[in-house]
Amino acid sequence: RELFLNMSYIDASRKIASASLKEGRSLFVCTGGEEESMYTEMGKDIVVLKNRKGFIRLALSYGADLVPVFGAGITDFYRTYGFMSKQRMWLQKNFGVALPIFHGRWFTPLPYRVPMNILIGEPIKVPKPAEIGAKPDPKLVDEYHAKYMEALKLLHSKHVKDRVLEIR
């Protein structure tokens, strides 16, 4: 954690992210987090996004445009196993502890050497809020969440032909 903080990364808390946006900085948010690491499956691009709206709320609160970004092929970096997956998912959901069972090359944490493509879509313009930092209308959040998911699907289908995108 400290290593990343020394490299200009910031804490992922809403308070810190809000302060950063207030300063006019851009943020890159990994929406899937621990839960997404539990769903990793070789050959599929899986993203946990259906119920993740906090980043949309944050963008709308500060008038920050949304840019869909996706790493196609990342799930092939490691081989994962479903052993006791229901129990491990319960731990993750109830205690925030992810225990993925995985390995890379030579049964080590070194990732497999596989191709990965970083896809960057067109920005989704969001309206400027009447008051910076104000909580946006839930209908507006739903609208822009749907736009973001659609943009991600389009980005994936346009550039990735040999993999399935699954949004959970």
Side-chain angles (χ1 to χ4, degrees):
R1 178 180 179 267
E2 299 306 316
L3 174 68
F4 286 107
L5 291 175
N6 284 327
M7 295 187 316
S8 298
Y9 286 70
I10 62 171
D11 184 80
S13 70
R14 179 175 299 278
K15 180 181 174 183
I16 301 293
S18 292
S20 185
L21 286 170
K22 197 178 240 182
E23 293 171 4
R25 297 174 67 193
S26 296
L27 298 178
F28 178 84
V29 179
C30 297
T31 60
E34 295 167 342
E35 185 178 355
E36 196 169 282
S37 74
M38 300 296 287
Y39 289 123
T40 300
E41 188 177 326
M42 291 182 108
K44 280 187 180 178
D45 288 327
I46 300 172
V47 62
V48 173
L49 187 61
K50 281 184 182 174
N51 296 314
R52 304 291 172 104
K53 297 181 183 179
F55 73 105
I56 302 288
R57 269 188 227 96
L58 203 55
L60 290 168
S61 292
Y62 290 91
D65 294 340
L66 295 159
V67 180
V69 177
F70 188 77
I74 288 176
T75 55
D76 291 349
F77 281 9
Y78 298 98
R79 173 144 335 263
T80 59
Y81 298 94
F83 177 72
M84 294 181 65
S85 61
K86 287 183 181 177
Q87 293 86 343
R88 291 186 289 126
M89 284 303 292
W90 182 86
L91 279 172
Q92 188 277 318
K93 286 192 185 299
N94 291 289
F95 297 102
V97 176
L99 297 173
I101 301 174
F102 70 96
H103 69 80
R105 289 184 283 165
W106 309 296
F107 289 91
T108 71
L110 291 173
Y112 288 108
R113 290 181 173 218
V114 294
M116 177 197 49
N117 294 305
I118 302 298
L119 310 174
I120 303 172
E122 293 294 319
I124 300 167
K125 299 287 184 194
V126 302
K128 298 297 177 203
E131 180 186 338
I132 298 292
K135 189 174 181 179
D137 182 275
K139 289 179 184 174
L140 191 63
V141 172
D142 289 342
E143 176 188 338
Y144 277 87
H145 185 255
K147 285 181 180 185
Y148 185 87
M149 287 202 314
E150 192 55 41
L152 196 63
K153 289 176 192 174
L154 182 64
L155 184 65
H156 192 275
S157 67
K158 183 178 178 182
H159 297 284
V160 181
K161 302 300 178 202
D162 61 337
R163 302 177 67 84
V164 174
L165 175 64
E166 184 178 322
I167 297 179
R168 295 185 179 196

